[in-house]
Amino acid sequence: MPRSSQTEPSALVIRDVNKTFVVPEQHVDTLKERLLHPRRRVNKRSFPALRDISFDVRAGEFFGIAGRNGSGKSTLLKCIAGIYGTDGRIWRNGRMSTFIELGVGLNAELAARENVVMNGIMMGLSPKEARRRFQSVIEFAELEEFTDLKLKNYSSGMHVRLAFAISIQVDADILLLDEVLAVGDAAFQQKCFDVFNDMRDRGKTIVFVTHDMGTLRRFCHRAMLLEQGEMVYIGDPEQVGDRYLELNFGRAPEAAVNAQGHGGGDGEARVTQVWVEDEAGERKPALPQHQRITLHARVHFMVDVDDPSVSVYILNEEHKAVVVVSTTRDHEHTGSFRTGEDATFSFTFQNVLAPGRYSPMVNLAHRGAGVDLLDQFRGEFSFVVSGTDALGGLVDVPVEIAAKRSDGFVVPELTS
Amino acid sequence: MSATALPSPTSDEVLGEPIQGPRALTGDWRRFWHLSFNIAKTDWKLRFYGSALGVVWQLVRPLMLFGVLYVFFTKIGHVNSTTGVGSQYYGAQLLGSIVLFTFWAESTAGSVRCVVDHEALVRKIQFPRLVIPMSVVMFTMFNLALNLIVVLIFTLASGVRPMASWVELPLILLMLGVFAAGTSMLLSAAFIYFRDIQPIWDVVNQIVFYASPVMISYATVQLHLSRTLLHIYEMSPLAVVMQQFRHAMITHGTPSAPNAMGGWSHMVIPVGIVIITFVAGFYVFNRVAPKVAEIL
């Protein structure tokens, strides 16, 4: 993580930025209305989009802005870009270029050549410069054969590639990007990531708005989280990612025990509560991959029970059991419980689950193979495994990869 | 967890360049020029892209109007007696006035919606907002230049020989251009708040067409209008521009605008209107520019 020295000026200084949109309750937008009702007061509602935002972006930093829809992150970017005016103060050091959206100003009726030049001019290049960069843009977009094709005849993938290539052609020190990474096929995405890595290595400052926590964690040195126009956190991207997921999925829900959630057993004991905790022992609605997580099942015994078995089926959204953990395999004796007693059974395992939503089913059974059911819990409780780089499997296991050449030498790139 | 108290900035030099919100002009004139010119050029290209006759179409409209009016007034209406002084040049003068009026009408009517139509750019890209109406005016200037060539050919064909007074033309066109630019700024800014400007402006342009020496020469108008109405007529910058164009470009048989309208002192109001329109247009647009992206 590059740290700029104290004397080096920040790439962006943002102080006390407030932004309030005033929305008239009914729209009067004709001259006729104004002339007929000159004294009519239109009620206006003000809607604060940003409140007292102050932060610095250091030179050479890859800075992420995360937040839910409507949290103000795009508004903030537009304020920095100078598209919206604010009553705060913003300074920049270095040439800045803004891509609030890919492909703005591209004209479907024109060929790639004209579009590239036109867009370059829009970004502040001189026509000469824009023409000079045309070749490199087309090469990056891999559209050499289609330079004279009108954009309306482009496939959407070609369109996106061109738009992205145009947007990175501008030789700026500070780049503002809004959700631009979610484009293209996997190969092109990789190319984009390479570009970002390269920019980062060359010391460009990038401010990047996203709600993709995977990208945020992968690229950003620092990040901030916005919620309802307020900065709730600034700093470690990992933290931002966690808090973002918390905001999205609500705070630690517990499975309320309800009658519908039970059944199948003889009712001599009941599963009263199920929850999951992360490594730190905190109840979380969303759990990151590859951590150790613990699933707890609280049981209330109505009669004396010896050596009950507890099995947990973790079901995915298609109600398929992806992971099953049980006492039946290795633990014949699980203890004797008295009437009226409560006990909590805990299962800690490596979270190899692929990202998605899961709901656990808990089978509580008499001693034995777990078929003689005391109770079956299938409550409303579910939890989310977060992560964005899913490869497509049901589970995601840690893996070591190696390759050996035919001459017996180990390929060094694959051995970390 | 949250940000530690950030130092309050004291001097601008240390912190870099302050970012201001969107404005009509950003002071970067080169960028302003390149953008306006290239948007106009692109629109121009788009207009004719793929049509075989291309640019010719741009000439057809004023020529058609000219044809209709010419036939009507010389063969049927006899409003302009063909026996009057300089009447052999009626055709050239009519065409010239039509071309000037077409420029006026296209640039003003075309800019009414322009900011709203470029909403995507306004909301997503930081650039001097004034580029948008100016590119419309520039676009119609290309048309004007093209049409003026036709006027020139027609003028020469009707027997006019190049005159010293042609040097006045840039000044006449400048007055028209400044007036059109000012009006465009005013209209495009007003349309953001008042969406009924568009039909209103269409009507205004109809009135302007008849209230300028396009079909009917100033001399004829003078004979028929009351003094009050004539005063109003003479206030119109377009009347002055067209009258002077007819005089300077085609024939001195038609009196110059100051002569026809009673001396140079009568030029103060039309020229004043042009200047005031331009200043007011810029002022209003400049006021609206920072908020456009939010209002749209």
Side-chain angles (χ1 to χ4, degrees):
Chain A
M1 210 165 136
R3 292 261 176 224
S4 53
S5 65
Q6 285 299 311
T7 49
E8 198 179 332
S10 299
L12 286 169
V13 179
I14 288 109
R15 287 293 177 279
D16 312 318
V17 166
N18 280 290
K19 182 79 202 161
T20 304
F21 292 110
V22 180
V23 192
E25 276 179 351
Q26 75 260 64
H27 229 72
V28 178
D29 54 4
T30 63
L31 201 55
K32 188 196 92 190
E33 286 279 323
R34 278 291 163 87
L35 293 176
L36 288 180
H37 313 283
R39 278 153 197 269
R40 180 193 282 175
R41 295 265 303 272
V42 180
N43 290 327
K44 286 175 179 168
R45 220 153 27 94
S46 55
F47 160 69
L50 290 174
R51 298 177 227 217
D52 289 324
I53 307 288
S54 296
F55 65 99
D56 289 357
V57 179
R58 300 182 196 114
E61 194 170 46
F62 207 124
F63 188 86
I65 299 174
R68 295 196 284 173
N69 289 337
S71 60
K73 53 191 191 316
S74 290
T75 305
L76 177 58
L77 203 64
K78 283 183 176 174
C79 289
I80 300 173
I83 294 168
Y84 288 164
T86 73
D87 53 5
R89 288 176 297 172
I90 305 172
W91 293 267
R92 68 176 157 89
N93 276 293
R95 259 179 76 165
M96 184 168 75
S97 74
T98 61
F99 310 103
I100 300 304
E101 198 179 290
L102 272 187
V104 173
L106 289 185
N107 196 313
E109 290 294 325
L110 292 173
R113 187 181 300 276
E114 277 118 352
N115 266 308
V116 169
V117 174
M118 189 64 226
N119 230 279
I121 295 167
M122 232 171 252
M123 298 296 175
L125 298 178
S126 73
K128 222 169 113 189
E129 253 180 294
R131 272 192 290 275
R132 221 188 48 227
R133 286 170 197 233
F134 169 72
Q135 202 52 41
S136 59
V137 170
I138 286 299
E139 265 165 39
F140 183 85
E142 301 166 15
L143 292 169
E144 288 94 334
E145 294 154 49
F146 306 102
T147 54
D148 295 317
L149 191 65
K150 280 188 206 176
L151 248 57
K152 66 176 176 189
N153 298 325
Y154 271 32
S155 72
S156 57
M158 290 158 79
H159 204 277
V160 157
R161 259 147 54 200
L162 182 68
F164 185 80
I166 288 173
S167 64
I168 59 154
Q169 71 171 330
V170 186
D171 198 18
D173 309 308
I174 307 166
L175 281 115
L176 306 182
L177 307 166
D178 193 352
E179 297 285 7
V180 291
L181 289 178
V183 298
D185 57 19
F188 191 75
Q189 265 194 8
Q190 190 50 52
K191 204 165 174 175
C192 300
F193 288 141
D194 292 345
V195 169
F196 286 119
N197 276 327
D198 181 51
M199 284 178 171
R200 194 172 58 173
D201 294 346
R202 281 190 293 153
K204 306 266 182 196
T205 309
I206 297 173
V207 179
F208 172 58
V209 163
T210 188
H211 46 230
D212 177 10
M213 293 305 120
T215 317
L216 189 90
R217 287 191 168 110
R218 186 163 162 194
F219 287 103
C220 294
H221 297 123
R222 274 195 322 143
M224 70 187 275
L225 181 63
L226 284 174
E227 176 64 7
Q228 293 184 342
E230 281 178 76
M231 187 167 78
V232 292
Y233 179 81
I234 183 165
D236 182 19
E238 292 289 335
Q239 279 283 323
V240 169
D242 287 350
R243 283 162 190 262
Y244 174 81
L245 291 172
E246 239 169 66
L247 281 174
N248 260 297
F249 298 110
R251 228 161 262 281
E254 285 168 13
V257 178
N258 52 4
Q260 300 98 28
H262 295 268
D266 54 23
E268 289 179 354
R270 299 204 96 182
V271 179
T272 53
Q273 204 181 19
V274 175
W275 70 96
V276 264
E277 287 176 359
D278 69 357
E279 245 170 3
E282 280 177 58
R283 292 191 188 193
K284 285 274 174 68
L287 298 154
Q289 274 184 290
H290 309 306
Q291 270 193 10
R292 288 173 71 77
I293 60 171
T294 305
L295 189 138
H296 303 273
R298 198 173 175 79
V299 178
H300 180 74
F301 294 94
M302 263 73 97
V303 296
D304 290 1
V305 176
D306 292 323
D307 298 323
S309 73
V310 184
S311 307
V312 178
Y313 296 77
I314 294 175
L315 309 176
N316 66 11
E317 276 151 308
E318 286 151 5
H319 306 290
K320 296 247 161 57
V322 180
V323 168
V324 182
V325 286
S326 179
T327 57
T328 54
R329 186 182 282 163
D330 301 320
H331 304 276
E332 197 190 325
H333 301 289
T334 54
S336 295
F337 301 94
R338 302 278 78 84
T339 307
E341 194 177 343
D342 286 291
T344 303
F345 294 85
S346 302
F347 300 84
T348 300
F349 55 95
Q350 193 74 22
N351 182 9
V352 295
L353 296 166
R357 185 176 283 280
Y358 296 90
S359 47
M361 178 177 87
V362 181
N363 279 359
L364 186 64
H366 288 287
R367 177 175 17 194
V371 288
D372 191 3
L373 282 181
L374 285 156
D375 186 28
Q376 185 178 57
F377 172 90
R378 291 190 79 158
E380 303 259 326
F381 173 67
S382 67
F383 63 93
V384 170
V385 172
S386 59
T388 47
D389 49 353
L391 292 169
L394 289 177
V395 294
D396 217 333
V397 293
V399 60
E400 279 165 32
I401 301 172
K404 205 183 262 182
R405 294 182 194 282
S406 53
D407 56 12
F409 282 102
V410 171
V411 179
E413 282 88 343
L414 275 169
T415 42
S416 49
Chain B
M1 61 150 268
S2 193
T4 48
L6 291 159
S8 200
T10 44
S11 102
D12 286 10
E13 296 98 290
V14 187
L15 295 164
E17 213 175 311
I19 291 173
Q20 267 126 357
R23 282 174 301 165
L25 290 171
T26 50
D28 187 347
W29 291 102
R30 268 191 34 197
R31 186 174 177 215
F32 182 82
W33 164 254
H34 287 320
L35 258 177
S36 308
F37 181 79
N38 280 284
I39 290 176
K41 200 175 90 181
T42 309
D43 286 346
W44 175 265
K45 256 192 210 166
L46 279 172
R47 181 82 60 103
F48 311 118
Y49 207 91
S51 71
L53 287 171
V55 169
V56 174
W57 287 115
Q58 209 55 24
L59 298 171
V60 166
R61 216 154 62 134
L63 282 175
M64 289 285 281
L65 182 60
F66 165 73
V68 171
L69 293 178
Y70 186 76
V71 169
F72 180 77
F73 282 108
T74 58
K75 310 289 182 216
I76 305 162
H78 295 289
V79 174
N80 272 77
S81 153
T82 43
T83 56
V85 186
S87 58
Q88 77 203 77
Y89 302 119
Y90 178 68
Q93 291 189 328
L94 177 63
L95 184 63
S97 295
I98 288 174
V99 162
L100 295 183
F101 179 79
T102 305
F103 166 73
W104 161 262
E106 277 186 356
S107 59
T108 53
S111 52
V112 170
R113 291 189 58 92
C114 67
V115 174
V116 175
D117 285 344
H118 286 85
E119 189 182 335
L121 295 185
V122 171
R123 291 172 71 115
K124 302 283 163 65
I125 299 180
Q126 192 275 331
F127 65 97
R129 304 309 192 203
L130 199 56
V131 160
I132 298 175
M134 286 309 106
S135 71
V136 174
V137 175
M138 227 177 258
F139 171 82
T140 44
M141 268 180 189
F142 296 159
N143 274 348
L144 176 65
L146 193 68
N147 284 321
L148 281 177
I149 296 170
V150 179
V151 173
L152 178 69
I153 294 166
F154 203 91
T155 305
L156 293 173
S158 29
V160 175
R161 291 293 152 255
M163 295 183 278
S165 59
W166 283 9
V167 296
E168 288 175 30
L169 290 179
L171 207 65
I172 296 169
L173 295 177
L174 180 74
M175 180 166 162
L176 181 64
V178 170
F179 191 37
T183 311
S184 295
M185 290 189 278
L186 217 48
L187 289 173
S188 57
F191 184 72
I192 297 161
Y193 293 96
F194 309 115
R195 300 294 164 110
D196 51 354
I197 291 280
Q198 192 168 25
I200 293 172
W201 191 251
D202 288 344
V203 175
V204 171
N205 263 347
Q206 287 282 324
I207 297 167
V208 169
F209 181 75
Y210 289 100
S212 309
V214 181
M215 309 173 286
I216 304 161
S217 73
Y218 178 74
T220 313
V221 172
Q222 222 170 6
L223 295 176
H224 296 279
L225 278 189
S226 70
R227 277 198 71 76
T228 323
L229 281 175
L230 197 63
H231 272 308
I232 296 171
Y233 187 95
E234 286 171 359
M235 283 180 194
S236 158
L238 286 179
V240 172
V241 163
M242 287 180 192
Q243 182 68 17
Q244 192 63 22
F245 185 87
R246 284 162 170 245
H247 166 82
M249 173 79 189
I250 294 149
T251 171
H252 292 328
T254 301
S256 70
N259 282 342
M261 297 175 184
W264 279 100
S265 60
H266 284 72
M267 294 298 102
V268 173
I269 292 177
V271 171
I273 288 176
V274 170
I275 294 168
I276 289 167
T277 308
F278 189 81
V279 172
F282 180 76
Y283 177 79
V284 171
F285 195 90
N286 200 34
R287 285 290 298 271
V288 171
K291 308 215 95 189
V292 175
E294 294 160 41
I295 297 167
L296 285 181

